[in-house]
Amino acid sequence: MAPSREGPAVVDCALYSGGIRQPGERSVKELFEAARDTADAFVWIGLHEPTEAEMAEVAEVFDLHPLAVEDALSDEQGPKLERYEDTAFLVVRAASYVEHTELTETSEVVETGSVRMFVGEKFVVTVRHGSIGGLTAVRADLEAHQDLLAQGPWAVVHAICDRIVDVYLKIAAAFQRDLDFVETQVLRREAGSTIGQIYQLKRELVEFRGAVLPLQQPLTMILDGRTVKMSKEIRRYFRDVNDHNNRVVDRIAGYDDLLNSLLQARLAQVTVDQNNDMRKIASWAAMAALQTAFAGIYGMNFKYMPELEWRYGYPGLLIVMLITTALLYRSLRRAGWL
């Protein structure tokens, strides 16, 4: 059945009863009234970047709190869970790994979006911002598992959070491959400049952590059994989501430590290379200074100087200069300066 659209922002809107999607195209208000008249029914409406007017229409139907509606329209919202009387407002940040053939200093590794959810006894309103975090596949999977969908609105919330956190795990695995590549580059002595790559990965890791780490608090509030009411079965499912999210948090902490270590190692390599360059420059300067000393002495305008009137004085001095330079070069090579 094609979704009935109330406006450009409505991606899908349906009435579910006993875990089964009910046929027929009706307005959001009509669907919500039907849900209130049916014991095991609820409405799920999905919005994508709605305007203020479109959001106001939905808020009027479901009696959403103005502060929550304002947050739902805001561009910048971190993960959180708030309770407004009989309605819960949950914000989750979706993420996606950006495939790239080569890791550069400007490569985008992680892209993030946002999913905001209003959850009531008889409805779920999802508001998505950004190009990622689409919920069409989540809805299709839920509709194929009617027993889970029959658990009510919080089953929808669980499915969305579960899909988002599963993507977190995939991003973490892909991030590991980028880290392995950078680590290999750092450990190779002939490696080029990888400091920019390390900083870029750290920036992308910060963005990824901004999606994963703050989600711990909303999940903890869901699991405590006091903030929101749901069945024990759904709460067990949320516990699994929380475990997966904590696993990603731990991996991010490990990645951050590894990046710091790689950065320190690369900076140490740069320092060593600079010291080696300075020693080479000093060595050649010493050999040039030795020749300058000879030239300076015999460039003086004194009348009585050793070998000044000697027939072979000039070639003799050149030979002495070459020999002393060769001896100095050999000494510097043995000392590791050249």
Side-chain angles (χ1 to χ4, degrees), residues 261-276:
S261 298
L262 291 176
L263 181 60
Q264 294 300 321
R266 185 55 185 151
L267 289 175
Q269 288 179 356
V270 171
T271 301
V272 170
D273 292 341
Q274 289 176 342
N275 290 338
N276 289 335

Side-chain angles (χ1 to χ4, degrees), residues 55-305:
M55 194 66 212
E57 292 178 6
V58 175
E60 183 179 359
V61 172
F62 297 103
D63 192 24
L64 303 179
H65 197 280
L67 290 177
V69 173
E70 182 180 347
D71 288 344
L73 293 172
S74 175
D75 292 334
E76 295 295 334
Q77 279 294 324
K80 64 178 181 178
L81 174 62
E82 295 179 343
R83 186 80 184 187
Y84 295 92
E85 298 178 354
D86 296 330
T87 302
F89 178 63
L90 175 64
V91 179
V92 181
R93 291 187 66 184
S96 175
Y97 181 78
V98 181
E99 296 291 342
H100 45 269
T101 57
E102 182 181 1
L103 181 64
T104 66
E105 298 179 2
T106 58
S107 295
E108 186 178 9
V109 179
V110 178
E111 183 182 3
T112 58
S114 181
V115 179
R116 294 94 189 268
M117 292 167 271
F118 296 89
V119 191
E121 184 180 359
K122 290 291 185 176
F123 66 88
V124 178
V125 178
T126 56
V127 183
R128 185 166 62 90
H129 290 262
S131 59
I132 63 172
L135 304 178
T136 302
V138 176
R139 188 185 289 263
D141 290 344
L142 272 176
E143 291 178 355
H145 296 82
Q146 298 177 3
D147 55 337
L148 183 59
L149 192 55
Q151 297 288 331
W154 281 102
V156 175
V157 178
H158 161 263
I160 295 173
C161 293
D162 185 55
R163 179 63 60 90
I164 289 175
V165 173
D166 283 346
V167 175
Y168 288 170
L169 288 169
K170 295 178 181 178
I171 295 174
F175 215 97
Q176 179 67 60
R177 294 194 295 269
D178 287 328
L179 282 174
D180 292 341
F181 170 77
V182 172
E183 184 176 18
T184 301
Q185 290 293 100
V186 170
L187 296 179
R188 287 170 50 192
R189 292 305 302 169
E190 66 274 13
S193 176
T194 57
I195 293 180
Q197 294 174 342
I198 295 174
Y199 272 118
Q200 179 63 16
L201 277 182
K202 284 184 70 68
R203 284 193 295 267
E204 294 298 307
L205 188 63
V206 167
E207 183 176 1
F208 186 34
R209 181 169 51 198
V212 179
L213 191 61
L215 185 58
Q216 287 182 306
Q217 184 178 6
L219 290 176
T220 301
M221 294 173 66
I222 290 174
L223 293 174
D224 65 15
R226 298 187 301 270
T227 307
V228 294
K229 296 180 180 180
M230 66 182 69
S231 66
K232 292 182 178 180
E233 182 69 17
I234 294 299
R235 187 165 280 113
R236 278 195 289 265
Y237 280 110
F238 270 106
R239 188 173 294 112
D240 181 68
V241 174
N242 187 54
D243 290 341
H244 289 175
N245 190 73
N246 288 337
R247 190 187 311 170
V248 179
V249 170
D250 292 340
R251 295 184 70 174
I252 288 176
Y255 294 163
D256 191 46
D257 291 340
L258 179 58
L259 282 172
N260 288 333
S261 298
L262 291 176
L263 181 60
Q264 294 300 321
R266 185 55 185 151
L267 289 175
Q269 288 179 356
V270 171
T271 301
V272 170
D273 292 341
Q274 289 176 342
N275 290 338
N276 289 335
D277 291 340
M278 290 302 299
R279 290 197 299 182
K280 290 178 181 179
I281 293 172
S283 298
W284 290 110
M287 288 185 285
L290 181 62
Q291 310 308 311
T292 303
F294 281 111
I297 292 174
Y298 281 89
M300 296 179 183
N301 294 322
F302 294 113
K303 182 176 181 180
Y304 301 103
M305 292 186 65

